[in-house]
Amino acid sequence: MLDQETIDTIAKQVATANLSSANVTGVSSAPTTDSEGRDALQITIVLAEGSSDVIFGKKTLDTLVQIQEILLNRGEDRFPYIEYTTDKELHESGDTES
């Protein structure tokens, strides 16, 4: 398993490559489990306000697939579940660790 810092770095590099650095303000990850109890990863990509209007479809799918491929190639076998949020949504939820 890769450490959290490495996972965050990979996810941010892929997200900014696909979604642009102007749209991605941060990335965080945390261990989780899937519906069958297997180890997994929760990766949160934080978007700039208003960017969710231009980020959809192929860009988000490419981000998921590329993150998964790179993590697998680096020896990480936990499946990455990707969620998108904004700084405002994080602040409103009280989660400020991203």
Side-chain angles (χ1 to χ4, degrees):
M1 280 192 264
L2 297 174
D3 63 78
Q4 184 175 346
E5 184 178 340
T6 301
I7 293 166
D8 291 353
T9 299
I10 290 167
K12 186 163 188 176
Q13 288 173 344
V14 172
T16 56
N18 285 307
L19 308 173
S20 99
S21 59
N23 293 326
V24 177
T25 63
V27 172
S28 66
S29 64
T32 191
T33 55
D34 67 13
S35 62
E36 296 180 6
R38 294 179 296 217
D39 289 339
L41 291 169
Q42 179 65 53
I43 297 176
T44 303
I45 298 173
V46 184
L47 301 174
E49 292 299 320
S51 64
S52 60
D53 296 339
V54 296
I55 296 174
F56 53 87
K58 185 169 178 0
K59 292 178 184 180
T60 57
L61 180 59
D62 287 348
T63 301
L64 169 64
V65 169
Q66 290 171 16
I67 289 173
Q68 184 179 18
E69 286 176 350
I70 292 170
L71 292 176
L72 277 171
N73 288 336
R74 298 278 304 270
E76 179 60 66
D77 60 351
R78 295 176 288 177
F79 184 82
Y81 290 94
I82 310 291
E83 72 176 344
Y84 295 89
T85 190
T86 64
D87 286 315
K88 180 180 176 184
E89 291 168 336
L90 277 180
H91 180 71
E92 289 172 354
S93 74
D95 181 5
T96 57
E97 293 187 27
S98 295

